[in-house]
Amino acid sequence: MELLYDSTRTKGKPVKASEAILKGLSDDGGLFVPERIPVLDQSLEELSGMNYAQTAYEVMKLYLTDFTKEELESCISRAYDAKFDTDEIVPLVEADGAFYLELFHGATIAFKDMALSILPHLLTTSARKNHVENEIVILTATSGDTGKAALAGFADVEGTRIVVFYPKNGVSPIQEKQMITQKGKNTYVVGINGNFDDAQTGVKEIFADRELAAELNEKGFQFSSANSINIGRLVPQIVYYVYACAKLFGQGRIRKGEKINVVVPTGNFGNILAAFYAKQMGLPIDRLICASNENRVLYDFFATGAYDRNREFVLTSSPSMDILISSNLERLIYQIAGRDADKNRELMDALKSAGRYEITDGMREALCDFYGNYADERETARTIRGLYEKTGYVIDTHTAVAACVHHKYVEETGDDKVTVIASTASPFKFTRSVMNAIDKSHDGLGDFELADRLSQLSGVPVPAAVEEIRNAPVLHDHVCGKNEMKQTVCAFLGIGG
Ligand SMILES: *Cc1c(COP(=O)(O)O)cnc(C)c1O
């Protein structure tokens, strides 16, 4: 059955999946949402016999209904291949009574690889299907991990260029080194003097600039987005929740009818929204536990029904979650508003003008599947050390926020269902924070020596993604003000702007 995509801000005018992927964001500034959530047509038992690629096909075919079987299978097989350092793609590791779903075995050792290794293929396939002849310019704001994963995905992909903006002083040294050493003649990396929200706002403004779009079109370019607002990012993220449930079922860890809880370290709300969609599809998921760091805007939202970005922006040791505007939350707001585009637009306008909105009691009731909590910096470090001392298993700072919130949830509710914790980055991506938490006796060591130390300590080899940048030359050193992003893009494309 064909599935179309509505904008969260305008009624009517639904588009095909390939059109939604090409556009990224709807013309009215809204996000594309499937007009209904499809239901899995395979049982857990059937799914438990499938590998990752097969599971991906079973899930994605329900969403990308205008892709042929051959097109979709080709995208999947080009994405989930030897770029991943394990055939399993997403291993499920049990430690201290929870299952860590390791989403970091791709090219850049963070969970963004799960979607960004397939997005370039979904996008170029969509372009072909819609007879697009323009060169596609990917414009991305990153809090650290998206940038590198998008660069790795799009580098030297024919018919595309990619521009990545990151907060100059808001990402880890390894994250920055990963980006500024990026090869590929179609790549452009720019640091901005501002934080992630500034970068994201700047990118949204460039997307909304109709005049610029017309000028671009004349020169044979068009923008698209690799940010987590693209439906082509969201859909591949549903896959690993299905895979994890099926695997737990296949291993006899859960029985028929038994539900699990899922904990997701959250920033832009994409990963946890994928889990929410997975639940709507019929997966046996009970609570969706949303874990925040000290930027606890989502915790406050779940606790009070008010979303309020008017607060201090905190730089934490989990920078990929240092976000005050969680873009993907709009899809959930739209859903709990009864798919009422007018109501949603009203709230989003309030967010833009006043930095704040409040949902109704009725909408709050529809959030009962969610539980929100947060971990501060001390708790995050303590969680890394505690788990390491107890089991020898080392997790990164983002995952530790989730593990800590899981403990708080169990303490508060006594709910001890089987739990999957989304493990979103390799500890080798945030080595210094991880090592500071475990063992402080490393004063004066550089980032790469620290990685060697962490390897000795954890018994896990230094991942190839880190080895690769050890001695790589810096290829990008552009920095611009937060109000100069448009000029910067125009200069790269060689147009007036
Ligand atoms: C992006 C990211 C997150 C947050 O995911 P969202 O989908 O933006 O909520 C968490 N951890 C890591 C390591 C990330 O890169």
Side-chain angles (χ1 to χ4, degrees):
M1 207 193 331
E2 182 166 47
L3 184 64
L4 297 177
Y5 289 79
D6 293 316
S7 162
T8 51
R9 298 201 190 172
T10 310
K11 255 201 246 332
K13 299 201 232 154
V15 300
K16 291 186 170 141
S18 65
E19 293 172 299
I21 289 171
L22 264 180
K23 290 182 90 84
L25 199 66
S26 169
D27 289 337
D28 55 21
L31 276 55
F32 288 113
V33 280
E35 55 186 0
R36 66 193 145 74
I37 304 291
V39 173
L40 280 167
D41 51 17
Q42 311 264 346
S43 67
L44 277 188
E45 191 158 13
E46 289 167 308
L47 288 162
S48 68
M50 295 183 192
N51 65 22
Y52 194 81
Q54 290 164 330
T55 311
Y57 176 73
E58 291 304 325
V59 173
M60 293 177 66
K61 73 170 191 198
L62 301 171
Y63 285 91
L64 310 184
T65 51
D66 64 330
F67 282 58
T68 66
K69 183 163 197 277
E70 290 67 35
E71 284 170 340
L72 201 48
E73 282 179 343
S74 159
C75 290
I76 290 168
S77 69
R78 282 184 286 170
Y80 305 113
D81 60 7
K83 288 191 287 298
F84 285 76
D85 65 10
T86 156
D87 289 340
E88 281 213 87
I89 307 295
V90 289
L92 199 55
V93 176
E94 187 174 10
D96 193 25
F99 291 90
Y100 288 82
L101 181 61
E102 293 189 348
L103 304 174
F104 56 76
H105 288 271
T108 73
I109 57 176
F111 105 95
K112 305 290 192 296
D113 290 327
M114 297 311 302
L116 282 165
S117 44
I118 193 164
L119 182 70
H121 306 296
L122 297 176
L123 200 58
T124 48
T125 306
S126 297
R128 212 170 36 243
K129 297 174 76 65
N130 288 280
H131 313 291
V132 169
E133 275 157 24
N134 281 338
E135 197 169 336
I136 292 171
V137 181
I138 300 295
L139 215 53
T140 292
T142 184
S143 55
D145 288 336
T146 302
K148 176 62 185 183
L151 287 162
F154 281 95
D156 289 326
V157 170
E158 211 164 303
T160 70
R161 293 198 198 190
I162 173 161
V163 186
V164 171
F165 290 101
Y166 71 96
K168 179 67 189 155
N169 297 310
V171 302
S172 83
I174 291 206
Q175 285 180 314
E176 180 171 42
K177 182 107 198 250
Q178 279 189 311
M179 291 192 276
I180 61 180
T181 58
Q182 178 64 48
K183 296 184 196 135
K185 54 186 185 308
N186 63 339
T187 63
Y188 195 52
V189 180
V190 186
I192 70 153
N193 294 315
N195 62 33
F196 170 68
D197 284 319
D198 296 324
Q200 183 158 259
T201 303
V203 164
K204 279 191 176 170
E205 276 168 11
I206 298 175
F207 275 127
D209 190 331
R210 309 318 308 159
E211 245 169 70
L212 180 62
E215 190 176 347
L216 243 73
N217 189 43
E218 236 166 69
K219 301 276 160 62
F221 295 112
Q222 72 187 57
F223 285 133
S224 190
S225 158
N227 269 41
S228 64
I229 49 177
N230 194 310
I231 198 77
R233 288 263 314 263
L234 198 54
V235 171
Q237 291 179 357
I238 301 168
V239 174
Y240 43 76
Y241 291 110
V242 176
Y243 184 78
C245 273
K247 187 149 178 190
L248 287 171
F249 182 82
Q251 293 175 346
R253 309 310 286 256
I254 52 171
R255 288 180 305 273
K256 207 168 172 206
E258 184 178 348
K259 288 187 176 172
I260 66 165
N261 290 329
V262 171
V263 192
V264 186
T266 297
N268 224 356
F269 212 76
N271 200 3
I272 194 165
L273 188 74
F276 177 66
Y277 281 9
K279 174 173 173 149
Q280 313 285 304
M281 292 179 78
L283 274 197
I285 294 175
D286 189 24
R287 301 304 292 280
L288 300 155
I289 298 171
C290 176
S292 303
N293 65 21
E294 287 181 14
N295 294 291
R296 35 178 264 193
V297 62
L298 286 166
Y299 165 70
D300 292 341
F301 170 68
F302 286 118
T304 66
Y307 192 94
D308 190 349
R309 66 146 305 176
N310 301 305
R311 62 180 72 208
E312 203 182 327
F313 180 86
V314 188
L315 287 178
T316 72
S317 59
S318 46
S320 302
M321 295 158 65
D322 289 345
I323 286 173
L324 292 183
I325 300 181
S326 296
S327 297
N328 269 296
L329 186 65
E330 179 170 346
R331 289 188 163 111
L332 181 64
I333 297 295
Y334 173 79
Q335 173 111 351
I336 63 174
R339 305 183 64 86
D340 181 341
D342 294 332
K343 175 71 189 164
N344 174 64
R345 198 178 53 243
E346 212 175 276
L347 296 175
M348 294 307 131
D349 286 347
L351 180 61
K352 184 148 194 213
S353 57
R356 179 177 196 288
Y357 63 79
E358 207 166 323
I359 61 172
T360 63
D361 288 346
M363 289 167 75
R364 281 188 74 181
E365 272 166 35
L367 290 178
C368 59
D369 289 341
F370 288 88
Y371 167 90
N373 213 326
Y374 72 100
D376 67 23
E377 290 290 275
R378 253 192 40 232
E379 292 170 323
T380 304
R382 259 207 318 250
T383 303
I384 294 173
R385 190 176 61 246
L387 185 63
Y388 171 68
E389 284 173 353
K390 195 161 172 191
T391 68
Y393 185 55
V394 180
I395 55 176
D396 97 293
T397 44
H398 302 74
T399 309
V401 167
C404 176
V405 165
H406 177 230
H407 286 304
K408 289 185 178 182
Y409 172 78
V410 174
E411 208 152 274
E412 208 175 285
T413 63
D415 177 1
D416 61 353
K417 278 189 203 68
V418 171
T419 297
V420 168
I421 296 177
S423 181
T424 51
S426 159
F428 288 91
K429 194 149 192 173
F430 299 94
T431 321
R432 190 164 297 275
S433 302
V434 170
M435 286 299 286
N436 280 342
I438 292 179
D439 159 30
K440 285 209 166 58
S441 62
H442 51 69
D443 278 354
L445 286 191
D447 284 314
F448 293 100
E449 293 160 305
L450 264 187
D452 292 334
R453 179 74 70 89
L454 176 56
S455 174
Q456 287 162 5
L457 218 128
S458 63
V460 175
V462 177
V466 174
E467 284 301 348
E468 234 164 56
I469 55 166
R470 218 183 258 260
N471 300 308
V474 170
L475 301 173
H476 305 268
D477 58 1
H478 316 272
V479 178
C480 78
K482 63 183 181 187
N483 297 319
E484 296 165 355
M485 291 166 61
K486 180 175 163 183
Q487 292 95 302
T488 304
V489 170
C490 290
F492 172 55
L493 298 176
I495 61 175

